[in-house]
Amino acid sequence: MTEKLLFADIDEPGLHTLGVYERRGGYASLRKAFSMTPEDVLAELEASGLRGRGGAGFQMGKKVSFLPKGSMEKYLVCNADESEPGTFKDRELMQKSPHMLIEGIVIASYAAGAQRSFIYIRGEYVLQADVLDAALAEAREAGFIGEDILGSRHSLSLVLHRGAGAYICGEETALLDSLEGKRGNPRLKPPFPANQGLYQGPTLINNVETLSTVPVIIRMGGAEYAKLGAESSTGTKLVSVSGHVQRPGNYEVVLGTPSREIIYGLAGGPPEGREVKCWFPGGSSAPVLTAEHLDVSYDFDSLAKAGSMLGSGAIIVVDDSTPILDVALKVAKFYQHESCGKCTPCREGTNWTVKMLQRIELGEATPMDLEIMASVQDHIMGNCLCVLGDAMAMPISSIISHFKEELEAHMERARLRPAETLVSA
Amino acid sequence: MSAAAAGSDRPVDLEKSAAEIPDAETTEVPEKLRAEIEAYMARYPDPRSATLPALEAAQRVHGWCSPQALEQVACVMRLTPAYLESVATFYDMLETTPVGRHSIYVCTNISCSLRGGDALYAAVRDAAADEPEEFNVRSFECLGACDIAPMASVDGVYVGPLALEDVPRLLDDARAGRRVLVEKQLAPRLVADTQANSREFPPHPPQEPASR
Amino acid sequence: MITFTIDGREVRAPENAMLVDAAKHGDVEIPVFCYEPKLGNPVGACRMCLVEIEGIPKLQTGCSTPAKDGMVVHTQSERARVAQQAVVEFLLINHPLDCPVCDKGGECPLQDITFGWGAGTSRFIEPKRHFVKPLALSERIAIDRERCILCYRCVRFSQEISEDNQLVLVERGAHSYVATFDGHPYEATFTGNIIELCPVGALTSRPYRFRARPWDIEDAGSVCTLCPSQCNVTLTVRDERVIRVLARDNGEVDDGWLCDRGRFAYPALGGLPATAAALADAPAAAENGAGRITEPMIRDGGQLRVVSWERAMTEAVAGLRRAGERVGAIAGGQATNEEGLLLARLMREGAGSPHVDSRAAGTLELELHLALNEPRLQARVSDLEFAHAVLVLEGDPIRDAPILDLRLRKGVRRHGMKLIRATREELLAGPRELADKLAGAGEEIVVLWAERLTAGPDGSRAAAALLELADALSLGDVEGAGLLEIPAHTNGRGLREAGVLPNAGPGLSDPAATGDASPTGRDAAGIAEELAAGELTGLYLLQSDPLLEPADREVWERALERAATVVAHASFLTEGIREHADVVFPSEAYAEKEGTITHPDGRLQRLRPAVAHPGSIRAEWSVIVELASRLGLDLEVLTGAMASAQLFESVPFYAGLTLEEIGGKGVRWQEREAAGAYPTREQLV
Ligand SMILES: Cc1cc2nc3c(=O)[nH]c(=O)nc-3n(C[C@H](O)[C@H](O)[C@H](O)COP(=O)(O)O)c2cc1C
Ligand code: SF4
Ligand code: FES
């Protein structure tokens, strides 16, 4: 299916400017939303079935409805930290269609009753942040942000906040701490941000893509949007495809499209003569799937049933030329490097896993070590303060179970290698 | 990290006094930096939220988050320098040891490494090895541009896919303060999805980040 | 109260108590490292306390999950046990096995938890992380980073309790470590608390390092008398020496914290050789670096010389006889209530002199004094935390009574208390206007005022203004509101209540009523003037050296110069004693003392001797009793307990108290029935 909602005009020159965006119908959804009550806007969001595009896939409308009613100071935070390896869809949206995000934020804040909002963008996205800053200035100037927006009596401030390089700041509570000027350590939940988030106030946190979809939903109507896609995975999704494919990049697909169609049909599949060895369906935190799973429907529930997850919608393809140990090491090292260090199982577990993998690489491991490594993953999973630990344990566990033989064979070979070849490793 | 690691193995200097919030009377802060930090502080309900932008600003002035830089930020924000050190060492883009003028982050995370990112990093690192004051070459986690893998961010500008042959020109451009590898910049690329866009559009003109 | 099930047992516990606390009601222990309620809300970082709760798929942290009615919790199920063993295994990955040479050995939560909840083996064979160890973190604290388990307790203390923000975690993940900025030492008022908070041997006391192992030591509970905060302490004793001072949690006094002076000044209490820093803080000892006085001395040819007790007694009695009624006495702030009472009797009944004082700020009319200390007007320490607002009047808690500073910070941070400061000038300019300013903050207001507010010629006016302020704010009628005075000296309140005032007897009674002596006693400043003028000839100093008080130094120099007889109880040869005392009785340190003191909020607390008297030191009270006896007055005290009993009899509003009732946590007299015996203004003529 070729339904394009977010990418309909994505490359139109000047779309990032207010003039072109408005000419393309921009901010019409905002006017429409203001003609409705906040409750009705919320009802549309709930009807759309839109699930969060940041990783956890929680229904957006439901999350908005969790915010307490009343006149206290509420906040909306857009998660633009996009640091999940393999993910680069929010970057495309922010750079090319920043006003769509801003419009979505204003509408969502209206539904949620939030008067202050922030976009937390990863510090590495310099160009995208600059584009957003310029768009924000235009939107302020035009009265889409500020006091009494378009005579609606709804007011909203919007501040762009640049991060400084830490994957964990994508985790929503770590993001809040970081936004408050602290180290980006996740917080204990409960309390959840909807009750006690930024500056202790009720806070709605959504991903860039989620919020950018809001104007589309208001334009189409929630029920109409929900007709797209698979059951309980409605609408379209931006999928970032990377790794061993011929046409890496972002694709907008209707949820429920067969994975093979995305990997082979859209992204061109692995280079000539190579086969898919394994693939991460939702960023490097997702358990790997193998070639057997290529026909799984690309939606939240089907991927979960297949033993993985849709996550951020980032497909990383690994072909059969790559030793699985290299993949495991890359993944484990990343999480070791990014663990905030606050909780024990994640801090020590990621570190220990890397050390074990390095020993396997060096030929200093025995098959017992695979067992230990698998058990360490079990000890991490479900026991950490946030899910960063799980985000390593899940793919590593899946790699151990899918590729046990290859890993054992590697250990055996490495142990038999003459010592001098190991020095360079 | 190296100087910081040494910090962990160094006893405190008992001759020094406690590092409290710096005295506003005696701490000199460049006027522009002070104004910039104060403007950030005014943007948030709680001024402490300005910590990251303030540190980033001080890093631009001092080249890194030196003790002096931290003291200046601490003075304006009325925080202790230890607090700021704790924050600065948490984030990869804040440098807590002196570094070269031009930051080159080479992505070596999974998608880039599947396409040669590790070799690219090694090549850039080796080529820049003799100019530590000029270049700060770092192997970086996923920079969110796996579509142009293997890639690098040169002073904030994304370029890729890079071949090993691109390395000398990349360094030359950076050294000279020119736009790096213009034809390899991410900014003008169209989306990969050929079915996207209701009409045909030409590639975007290259854009330099405004904030540098 | 709710009922929940833990490990098969039905247990009743307060609703919403965290599971780790609720479990204790059923004698179940859930292991913790990062959980420490004193540090604020749980952070759930160490994951040691994972338990299984029926109906919840993931294991939950017992430190942050409130107990609910009907909840079924398992701490020993297979899943819970595996998780607990896993966390212990993770924590031991980098923890060195240097327990045999670690000061924490034997009193180490990590050892205990490893023993109780660990698997007993580790599968980790890689090298551990290495740091140079141990390093100085400050003059007083050593840090051993290899032992640190990154529980966050110490840095949370620095950030959220003392709010000095000097101790932080730097770097990220497995590279994180505890540090200060750029090689600066961790120096602040309360740093030593992190030693006690650390659940491993990563932070240790430098003066205590390698002094003892837990099996060589004994613990003794007492009260620190180095300032009016009167924090509760546990003294670690080895071979009759205090080698360590620890906090002893009393929510109504110190909240479980201790300041560095209280914690580290113990070498000056007769223990170890002092470190430079400890010495600097030790009372008076720094003056000339002299050690403790442990033998009686008399002045002989201009020099003090050690003599026998008999000789010293004889000299003192002779001197006091010569002075007759023309003697004055001053009790220092570390004296106990009993010592104060007996001293006042010695003066009033033995020598016939009304000139006794203990109040640094000078005399206040008895009427004002009574009004300011009226029971219903007195705030408690805990009120500082829960009040809507606290007005700090002319004081600096961090200097006057450091531990109160932490309480005020806690009030502001956790309960939104408003902290307001005002000067004496503002009070004098208009107490009603000041009250108006406070009125908006809420009803429960505590005025924390320093004794020096009422010093000097305007003292009475300030006291009257303070009463007017209290009246305007109806402080006496609101629960949780009131006045709290910080006296200039530790036991200022108790000594006054015991009658060590020129214008009041025991229980703040009007001395005119008893007829023991003429009511026109002189206060300390008056005593100095009269000594200087030759009107008085004798001076009795109970743990007091007037030359250490900067105020009236010149007069005092002349007074001491001229005094014919100066008898002093002292621990150190500070200037006044060294140059002017004719007889010196070696004085007890608080660790050696028996008796009671009264906290600024009226809480009677008990001092218990933790170590024997060094040298030939004798109990202060017994020295006074013997002097009295030689002067022909039988004070009827044969033991310390008898002295206390006499105190409780003499002060009507202490009536019926016993040492047992005071116990380890103290008793506020205002909360007892006998408080009704407090003299009212009307009772004064
Ligand atoms: C370690 C970690 C990293 C995350 N990184 C991101 C991120 O970069 N961007 C994002 O939108 N969500 C990220 N998330 C998910 C957020 O916590 C949160 O679920 C999301 O922002 C909610 O928005 P959504 O409901 O619109 O998806 C991350 C979660 C974890 C545990
Ligand atoms: S030094 Fe001690 S208290 Fe501080 S984090 Fe380490 S283990 Fe915890
Ligand atoms: S005690 Fe519960 S997580 Fe540390």
Side-chain angles (χ1 to χ4, degrees), chain C residues 53-397:
Chain C
I53 301 173
E54 288 187 8
I56 305 181
K58 275 192 180 186
L59 298 181
Q60 299 293 307
T61 43
C63 69
S64 65
T65 310
K68 299 275 186 218
D69 205 42
M71 208 177 231
V72 182
V73 183
H74 300 282
T75 75
Q76 299 289 319
S77 65
E78 179 63 16
R79 276 181 68 206
R81 291 238 325 280
V82 166
Q84 290 155 0
Q85 289 180 358
V87 173
V88 171
E89 187 181 34
F90 284 137
L91 285 172
L92 292 180
I93 279 186
N94 282 316
H95 193 82
L97 294 174
D98 60 356
C99 305
V101 293
C102 176
D103 264 340
K104 199 78 172 184
E107 48 184 31
C108 172
L110 183 60
Q111 274 183 339
D112 297 345
I113 289 174
T114 302
F115 185 73
W117 286 269
T121 54
S122 172
R123 300 170 296 171
F124 182 83
I125 55 166
E126 280 77 12
K128 291 174 185 279
R129 73 175 190 165
H130 279 297
F131 290 112
V132 174
K133 58 191 264 178
L135 297 169
L137 185 64
S138 70
E139 189 80 52
R140 295 153 165 164
I141 303 172
I143 184 165
D144 182 327
R145 294 194 167 97
E146 290 187 343
R147 294 181 187 152
C148 170
I149 58 166
L150 296 170
C151 72
Y152 273 66
R153 283 179 172 218
C154 54
V155 296
R156 279 166 70 203
F157 177 82
S158 166
Q159 268 142 71
E160 291 174 37
I161 304 299
S162 71
E163 298 180 353
D164 59 70
N165 276 296
Q166 291 181 38
L167 194 71
V168 294
L169 219 62
V170 297
E171 299 296 330
R172 192 171 71 195
H175 299 290
S176 317
Y177 63 92
V178 172
T180 54
F181 174 67
D182 196 31
H184 288 261
Y186 181 33
E187 296 285 0
T189 312
F190 305 100
T191 63
N193 291 291
I194 64 172
I195 299 170
E196 272 187 76
L197 284 169
C198 184
V200 296
L203 296 168
T204 48
S205 158
R206 293 178 72 199
Y208 182 65
R209 268 181 91 77
F210 306 132
R211 288 284 166 191
R213 307 294 313 222
W215 44 90
D216 313 316
I217 57 178
E218 278 175 79
D219 282 346
S222 194
V223 177
C224 173
T225 63
L226 299 185
C227 90
S229 307
Q230 297 185 9
C231 294
N232 293 191
V233 293
T234 299
L235 303 174
T236 299
V237 176
R238 180 180 185 182
D239 300 338
E240 295 299 343
R241 282 175 155 194
V242 176
I243 54 173
R244 181 171 68 169
V245 181
L246 300 173
R248 181 165 61 86
D249 198 345
N250 187 339
E252 284 296 328
V253 176
D254 48 48
D255 228 5
W257 307 123
L258 198 56
C259 78
D260 285 356
R261 177 172 159 177
R263 184 182 299 275
F264 293 106
Y266 60 86
L269 308 178
L272 307 164
T275 63
L279 248 164
D281 274 357
E287 281 285 300
N288 54 7
R292 271 290 286 284
I293 305 171
T294 55
E295 303 295 330
M297 292 186 271
I298 60 167
R299 190 163 301 277
D300 186 1
Q303 291 291 315
L304 284 171
R305 152 170 94 76
V306 170
V307 293
S308 69
W309 271 98
E310 182 52 37
R311 180 73 202 281
M313 279 285 173
T314 315
E315 289 286 326
V317 168
L320 289 174
R321 281 232 167 83
R322 274 196 304 278
E325 289 179 6
R326 298 165 68 194
V327 62
I330 295 171
Q334 294 206 54
T336 63
N337 296 337
E338 289 78 1
E339 291 160 10
L341 177 83
L342 297 173
L343 172 70
R345 288 190 64 194
L346 173 69
M347 286 296 117
R348 291 196 173 107
E349 300 167 36
S353 158
H355 311 299
V356 291
D357 199 7
S358 60
R359 193 172 189 274
T363 344
L364 212 53
E365 288 87 327
L366 186 53
E367 194 186 17
L368 285 173
H369 200 95
L370 284 173
L372 282 172
N373 287 288
E374 233 187 300
R376 63 185 190 99
L377 210 52
Q378 306 305 295
R380 289 167 301 205
V381 170
S382 54
D383 293 335
L384 293 175
E385 178 179 341
F386 297 103
H388 294 127
V390 172
L391 172 70
V392 176
L393 250 182
E394 193 67 30
D396 177 6

Side-chain angles (χ1 to χ4, degrees), chain A residues 188, chain C residues 17-21 30-37 40-51 60-66:
Chain A
L188 189 63
Chain C
M18 295 307 170
L19 281 178
V20 291
D21 296 322
I30 300 176
V32 299
F33 285 114
C34 67
Y35 181 62
E36 171 49 77
N41 291 332
V43 291
C46 74
R47 318 305 286 178
M48 190 60 239
C49 61
L50 289 170
V51 296
Q60 299 293 307
T61 43
C63 69
S64 65
T65 310

Side-chain angles (χ1 to χ4, degrees), chain A residues 52-58 63 79 81-84 90 167-168 170-172 205-208 210 386-388:
Chain A
R53 306 304 198 216
F58 196 83
K63 193 142 79 177
N79 188 341
D81 194 57
E82 190 158 71
S83 304
E84 175 71 20
D90 297 341
Y167 167 67
I168 188 60
E171 196 281 335
E172 55 189 13
I205 306 174
N206 276 117
N207 168 260
V208 170
T210 315
C386 82
V387 295
L388 188 140

Side-chain angles (χ1 to χ4, degrees), chain B residues 8-94:
Chain B
S8 66
D9 283 343
R10 197 158 45 113
V12 295
D13 179 353
L14 293 174
E15 301 295 306
K16 285 188 183 177
S17 56
E20 292 169 348
I21 298 172
D23 185 348
E25 302 288 308
T26 56
T27 311
E28 280 193 32
V29 184
E31 213 30 63
K32 251 185 77 188
L33 179 61
R34 174 190 296 280
E36 186 175 349
I37 296 173
E38 281 171 353
Y40 291 137
M41 288 165 69
R43 292 203 313 207
Y44 302 91
D46 178 353
R48 181 177 295 205
S49 281
T51 303
L52 284 187
L55 287 171
E56 198 267 329
Q59 173 159 297
R60 250 185 286 124
V61 171
H62 293 266
W64 61 295
C65 290
S66 60
Q68 192 195 13
L70 295 181
E71 271 167 355
Q72 292 177 353
V73 177
C75 177
V76 181
M77 293 191 71
R78 307 316 294 151
L79 297 168
T80 60
Y83 177 83
L84 294 172
E85 184 181 9
S86 157
V87 172
T89 53
F90 190 88
Y91 295 92
D92 287 338
M93 294 174 69
L94 295 172

